């Protein structure tokens, strides 16, 4: 916008492209990069410096059950100040803590003030080794 000559504009465009490409290469060099990390590294994700949200409810139904049961899990959260970019994850751990966590997640981008939910089912069927 404020540059006077066509040459200055061209140099600015080329430098901006190079800087953008360098940031993208840096982000992609990460092993199995997280898409949000990449988005933040190349600075294209919406940001919200005053973001605020609270988990207002977490229910599990049924509250207990024998092995082989399926549990429905519901989490409610309230966004009190608009969110930028991030993830909300509902994650389960194995009883002994020796397995990989599993669950579900939701990518949040510019989430406005409001009440939201995330649901997942947990099947407690053991694998062949258990």
């Amino acid at each position: 916008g404020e540059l006077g000559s066509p040459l200055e504009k061209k140099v600015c465009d080329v430098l901006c492209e190079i800087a953008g490409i360098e940031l993208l290469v840096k982000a992609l060099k990460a092993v199995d990069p997280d898409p949000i990390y990449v988005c933040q590294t190349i600075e294209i994700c919406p940001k919200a410096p005053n973001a605020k949200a609270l988990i207002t409810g977490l229910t599990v139904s049924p509250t207990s059950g024998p092995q082989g049961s399926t549990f429905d899990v519901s989490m409610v959260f309230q966004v009190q100040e608009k969110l930028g970019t991030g993830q909300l994850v509902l994650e389960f751990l194995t009883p002994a803590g020796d397995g990989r966590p599993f669950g579900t997640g939701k990518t949040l981008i510019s989430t406005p003030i409001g009440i939201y939910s995330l649901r997942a089912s947990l099947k407690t069927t053991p694998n062949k080794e258990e």
Side-chain angles (χ1 to χ4, degrees):
E2 301 276 334
L3 300 175
S5 76
L7 177 61
E8 288 175 334
K9 291 177 185 177
K10 183 68 175 171
V11 169
C12 181
D13 287 344
V14 169
L15 289 174
C16 289
E17 284 182 30
I18 290 171
I21 291 169
E22 287 176 0
L23 284 171
L24 179 61
V25 168
K26 177 183 171 188
L28 295 177
K29 281 184 179 178
V31 178
D32 192 22
D34 176 339
I36 293 175
Y37 168 77
V38 173
C39 177
Q40 290 173 337
T41 301
I42 61 177
E43 299 182 6
I44 60 170
C45 290
K47 295 178 183 175
N50 298 316
K52 183 178 180 182
L54 298 172
I55 296 173
T56 58
L58 180 66
T59 59
V60 180
S61 179
T63 56
S64 65
Q67 190 176 57
S69 298
T70 298
F71 296 89
D72 294 315
V73 181
S74 178
M75 180 173 57
V76 177
F77 65 102
Q78 180 182 18
V79 174
Q80 296 178 331
E81 294 291 336
K82 181 179 175 181
L83 304 181
T85 303
Q87 274 189 322
L88 177 66
V89 177
L90 186 56
E91 188 171 82
F92 304 106
L93 305 175
T94 60
D98 56 355
R100 293 191 63 185
F102 59 95
T104 189
K106 183 182 223 177
T107 300
L108 305 172
I109 300 173
S110 297
T111 307
I113 293 172
I115 297 174
Y116 303 88
S117 65
L118 183 62
R119 293 177 176 27
S121 289
L122 172 62
K123 296 179 183 175
T124 60
T125 305
N127 63 32
K128 294 177 185 178
E129 298 166 1
E130 297 176 313

